[in-house]
Amino acid sequence: MKPLPHPSCNRKTSRLAIPLFIPALVMILSLASLAKSCTDQDRSSLLQFVAALSDDGGLTGSWENDTDCCKWEGITCSSNQTVTDVSLASRGLQGRISPSLGNLTGLVRLNLSNNQLSGGIPMELLSSSSIIVLDISFNRLKGNLQELRSSTLRPLQILNVSSNLLTGLFPSTTWEVMKSLIALNASNNSFTGQMPAKFCISVPSLALLHLSYNQFSGRIPTGIGNCTMLISLTAGNNNLTGTIPDELFNLTLLEHLSFPNNQLEGSISSISKLTNLVSLDLGGNNLSGTIPVSIGELKRLEELHLDDNGMSGGLPSTLSNCTNLMIIDLKNNSFSGELSNVNFTKFRNLKTLDLLRNDFNGTIPDSIYACSNLTALRQSSNKLHGQLSERIGNLKSLAFLSLVESSISNITGALKILGKCRNLTTLFIGHNFFNEAMPEDDRIDGFENLQVLALNYCSLSGKIPCWLSKFTNLEVLLLYGNQLTGSVPDWINSLKFLFHINLSNNSLTGEIPTALVDMPMLKADKVAPKAFELPVYKSQQRQFRMPVSFSTTLDLGMNNFSGVIPEEIGQLKALISLYLNYNILTGPIPQSICNLANLEALDLSSNHLTGEIPTELNNLHFLSNFNISNNDLEGPIPNTGQISTFPSSSFEGNPKLCGPMLVCHCGSAEAIFSTKQTDDMAVKVIAAIAFGAFFCVGVLYDQMTMQPLQYSCNNRKTEMPHIPLLSVALVLLLFSASPASSCKEEERSSLLGFLDSLFQGSGLSASWQKDTNCCLWEGIICNVDGTVTDISLVSMGLEGHISPSLGNLTGLLKLNLSGNSLSSGLPKELLLSSSITVLDVSFNKLNGEFHELQSTPDSAMKVMNISSNLFTGYFPSTTLESMRNLAALNMSNNSFTGEIPSTICVDKPLFSVLDLSYNQFHGRIPPELGNCSSLTVIKAGQNQLSGTLPAELFNVTSLEHLSFPNNHLQGTLAPEHVGKLRNLIILDLGWNRLNGKIPNSIGQLKRLEELHLDNNNMSGELPPALSNCLNLTTITLNDNNFQGELRHVNFSTLSNLKFLDCRSNKFTGTVPESIYSCSNLIALRLSYNNLHGQFSSGINNLKSLRFLALSHNNFTNITNALQILSKSRALTLLAMGGNFKHETMPDYDKFYGFENLMCLAINQCSLYGHLPNWLAKLKNLRGLLLDNNKLSGPIPTWINSLDHLFYLDISNNNLTGDIPTALMEMPALMSTHSDPIILKFPIYLAPFLQYRATSGLPKMLNLGNNKLTGVIPPKFGGLQALATLNLSFNNLHGEIPQSIGNLTNLQRLHFLSEFNISSNDLEGAVPNGGQFSTFPDSSFSGNPKLCSPTLMHYCASTDAAPVSTISTGQYIDKVIFAMAFGMFFGVGVLYDQMLEKTSLLEFLARLSQDAGLAKLRVPRQALAGRWARQAMAASHRLLLMGMGRHRLQQERDDHQRLQGRISSSLGNLTGLEHLNLSYNFLSGGLPLELLSSRSIIVLDVGFNQSVETRMSCHLQLQPMDSLYRYSTFQATFLRGSLHPQHGRGCGI
């Protein structure tokens, strides 16, 4: 019989899981006498068994009908020719187990383990009157373990059904007839319900019970205490709750007790009764209390696992009495006190001691150094201190040592001591020795076996030391996060095994040496695997068990390397990741880099690289992380292949680059694609690639558990885990080729029928020729007999219908037509197909209702992706009921309505992925979703779901991704529910109406990486247990009512945290120092709370911090704050307005740093002083907000030295003097182009007006509410890019300069959408033509000497019309222009010109109130009079903003605003780039034609509200997220129409 597997994975143990007497019993039972000849009945039963197999593993070669079955392979008979043993383990058998085996009346032992058998377990085997040993483990058996109804006793003694797919409740009455049972292993299945309470009464002799890796819930039954013979009890990795019952501690024979990874509570005070205990594993629970003193009575104890609980207190001295201990694992608890309380000298057998992440203090006791057999010691992240003792050299067997964050000092002494540990292979000592110097002492030697060295984040100064060259076996070197200088030494290539090098975040200089690109292991194909003694956590809950798990990496980012990237870098064939970002490298991207075929991550951003992007980069098919932003590259971005799949953020900051994903497009025919995307869009693209590979390759049955898709609402960042298998799948997809055999005529005909249904075949007809072999056609794959099995026509530009003829391809397995422009419906022939397993028609324009097929045979469909289309109607529940093999369904980004059906999971045992996001589903979430027991991903965000989260949903313990953002969900997160989802990686419930607290049980979600609870009504303090979610990378809690102090959470445990957003809550106290331990933090926002105090220098530990927003708190000492923050080298956005009230703006030159700062906001602080000169050093500044202070003095002339500054707000100060000429010479305001910078969090400059990229910000100059004097300089007319100009409430005088009012200049200012010069002392006539005629009178009021027909003061009272201020020549030009324009509209020369007029008239006709647009002064026949200068001339804008000429703060006139619906006809204006319909009373929905427009860059429909009802909040947003690949949006403003309760903060 095959040995029963140990119940606890990843645990080393010195004992077998089965007590010694059980194998002995099996051996006795296995003795059989020599066989002679089997009976006919036995032969017939065996032949029936093999006939039921779909794959017999070659048995038929031995099992012949006319031969003696006693001689058949795997068969043993007794002396009377009766079959007693059938042993067919690991034979590759497939199919069902035939009940005929139950007819073998003499069968004693049956072993079918480790095959691929399916179906259920025949009742005949369990009810057999002869079988003693039954082992069917490691198969694919499913269904329930049935109850036996018979009362006849059965002889079964050993039953092993582990590692199958069995489900349902565990039997309770079956065991009443199995009183001889000794060993039962049912682990690694999906049994549910509670553990049987009366089990032990029925089976008194039971010695081994293994129930691990199931879904048992409830408490451990007290009846377990009746199993008095029990020796081994394991039930780990279930959902057990409550305390360990006292009755269990009466099992005094127990040797192995294992309940890890459950939800058990309470203490272990009674553990001393189990005096025979050899292995105790209670890790990964919620146990509390201390380790009892009585632990010392467990004299036989060899393994103690109490890790990952909530235990505390000091270690009892009696632990020293457990002298047989080999493993002590106490990591991730709150144990405290000094380790010297335990006398470790008694642990002569101790091999592993893991004390990671506790609160132990003091020094490392010398007694530990007496544990001569110790191989692994980890004491990282405690409160230890001092220097290392020389006695550590006594640990001759020590191979793994981790002392990270232990406050150790004297690095020189430590290295000399550790060099004597000759067997040391892994050394982690980072986060120690702060600000010491890297020793250069050549006497540091030893380490001859060292393979992994981590000396990271120590702030060490000096150079890379020569003594490292002696570490000839080194494989992984981590020196990042120090202050090392100098060059990379040439001896680096002498380390022949080194394959993972991270030198990032230092100050290294010089060129990239040739030696670095000549390293042997970076050229090798394979790295020899070797296991770590303890798992290494690169991220919490992400274990690396061997060095080879570290990817082959060269990371030189964030240094000062110069020169060119050497051509020899192309020799590093084994590289997986290459990071050269944030250096000063020059020259082109070398062509040889395209030879790195295994590359998955390439970051060359923030250098000075030039030249074009090599098109051969498309050959890097594994590339999933790519960034070349912020260089000086030029030319077109490849618009096909791998590179074209990356978002604009990968290319931004290269002004000379052009491509469909950038504002700068290559040629007028190219569409302008959006740059309003964040870094999370890169995660979406990676997810799309993986998802596409998943859909196109069609994962096998046992590979259906997918990583969750990572595209989310609100552009949240979600770090996508690295998925090498899917990358391989994608490459296989791209390179798979059809066989040479010719296809069948009927299949060629079906394909040509499909081609005929297309309007645009994207060149397919050149390949798809009637008289050729269709197996060689583009996108077609056939099997060996010429049957078409795969059609892959992704992103081919196909237009037209999908022909039903594809349903005639009877061998078609995978059909992928995604990323085209196919329209009409989805043919029912595809849904009825009996062969298609993978169907992907996503990202098309398919429409209509989804077919409901009333009578369908069972479908073969496993994966169906119909996302990002235009489907409508109700959920196709009937159709999906026939898809019993369905594993993944993506229906997102459509317009499905109705409720989510309760039957969606019925008869779908493999169903693991469900995505219903971006639709119009309403109603409650059906509780029946709790029946989807295999579900790993469920997403239904951006719908209209209401009610509470059903309790049943939390029973789906396999869930990894739970996402319901932007709905109307209510209720609380119940503590008893949340803790059940222990596999959860992403939880996204933002933008709902949830209330209550975050439950303390959140700490049980140990795998959680992303937590999104933003924009709800939640309250209370943050639970300390949040610190236990060690894998968290993203926390967004903004816009709630959370309160209390942040220090309740120990952020130092969240070492992977990258994004923390607590904006707009009620947090108090100071910023906790523990936040500054989050060394990977990229974005931190604590704005709009009640925090106070001064900034801590600890913030400089956040080396990766780029986004910091602390606005509107109560911080003080601005001088100290700026001095500290200036050292944050990576910082790009700093917002700290609303603090430092009534302090003085620092005005001296001591502020150095901020070299990468792009946005600075120190507004609303009431600061005194002048505009400081140190601002002139911020050469990368794009946005500067100093408004609402008390700054005085003139505007400095250095302002034009800030070449990138385009958003300047210095309003509401006391600035004086003339407007300087330098202000009109600002380069960024003279150029229409700006480098788009993606922001880590969206920033809010008005309620509901959020910006995710700097390119979305308007180019603005706001000088209002100051004391400026003089005239408006004529040079304002040169600011071509200006979108907003405010000169109001100053002391300006004179006329409005002709340069602004001149028509020619206005054509250069045609994007001007806000203009304010009110409340000055200007005089003369307001120009009455062009752009100025579109602005309301409020833009000019408060200037008594100004005259205009829009003002009360007319220019010459006798004139019926205003006098133009233009010259005669210009007037003639305007007359000619008007005549030409009149002919243009009167004659209707070309169709597309008539279409624009018709479209505008249709828009006007849909309005119930047109605010005077249709009056005679603006007749419909002459729309050019008021609109053409804005919408159809050079501007390509339609500006009908606030037609009543009022702002929100002024009294509105309902008759002076547009009312009615927005006509879809505006989508026909193919040249329209900017559409502004804000500040009106428009209602209804937002036409899809506007969202899918290929020309519109900026769409503003903010602040619209019907008299009776709000404008539709749904706004058809679902296509918008998916249409980034087609549309051109830079910014979309939906202001004032969504969730009014969430607008508390209008700042960053």
Side-chain angles (χ1 to χ4, degrees), residues 706-720:
M706 296 171 48
Q707 294 291 337
L709 303 181
Q710 302 291 328
Y711 48 97
S712 64
C713 69
N714 299 330
N715 291 332
R716 290 177 173 137
K717 180 172 179 63
T718 303
E719 295 274 334
M720 181 71 179

Side-chain angles (χ1 to χ4, degrees), residues 998-1010:
I998 300 177
N1000 208 50
S1001 58
I1002 193 81
Q1004 298 171 22
L1005 309 185
K1006 301 297 177 64
R1007 297 184 63 194
L1008 193 65
E1009 295 182 6
E1010 296 188 21

Side-chain angles (χ1 to χ4, degrees), residues 365-387:
D366 278 352
S367 64
I368 284 183
Y369 306 135
C371 302
S372 56
N373 288 308
L374 199 64
T375 60
L377 172 61
R378 177 158 55 190
Q379 297 177 320
S380 299
S381 300
N382 282 279
K383 298 178 181 178
L384 304 173
H385 60 84
Q387 299 184 20

Side-chain angles (χ1 to χ4, degrees), residues 1266-1335:
N1266 279 287
K1267 298 178 181 179
L1268 300 174
T1269 56
V1271 298
I1272 299 177
K1275 287 190 174 182
F1276 264 125
L1279 301 183
Q1280 303 177 30
L1282 201 60
T1284 300
L1285 174 63
N1286 188 354
L1287 303 176
S1288 61
F1289 292 96
N1290 279 286
N1291 297 318
L1292 302 173
H1293 62 271
E1295 296 184 353
I1296 300 175
Q1298 293 285 357
S1299 59
I1300 292 181
N1302 186 280
L1303 177 63
T1304 304
N1305 288 330
L1306 281 178
Q1307 288 178 344
R1308 297 206 308 268
L1309 283 167
H1310 58 260
F1311 288 169
L1312 192 64
S1313 59
E1314 287 194 35
F1315 178 70
N1316 196 343
I1317 55 172
S1318 62
S1319 300
N1320 282 284
D1321 194 24
L1322 301 172
E1323 60 186 58
V1326 176
N1328 67 343
Q1331 194 77 352
F1332 280 106
S1333 66
T1334 69
F1335 294 110

Side-chain angles (χ1 to χ4, degrees), residues 52 86 110 162 171 261 416 433 459 472 565 569 605 682 872 905 955 1042 1124 1193:
V86 177
L110 174 60
S162 64
N261 298 316
K416 288 182 178 178
F433 319 113
S459 296
T472 53
I565 301 174
I569 204 163
S605 62
T872 57
C905 296
N955 294 330
F1042 293 117
I1124 290 173

Side-chain angles (χ1 to χ4, degrees), residues 159-170:
L159 175 62
N160 188 355
V161 296
S162 64
S163 300
N164 279 286
L165 305 174
L166 300 174
T167 57
L169 300 176
F170 202 68

Side-chain angles (χ1 to χ4, degrees), residues 1486-1507:
L1486 187 61
L1488 180 62
E1489 289 78 3
L1490 300 184
L1491 295 174
S1492 58
S1493 168
R1494 293 178 178 267
S1495 65
I1496 296 178
I1497 297 175
V1498 177
L1499 172 61
D1500 191 346
V1501 290
F1503 296 102
N1504 275 281
Q1505 183 176 349
S1506 172
V1507 176

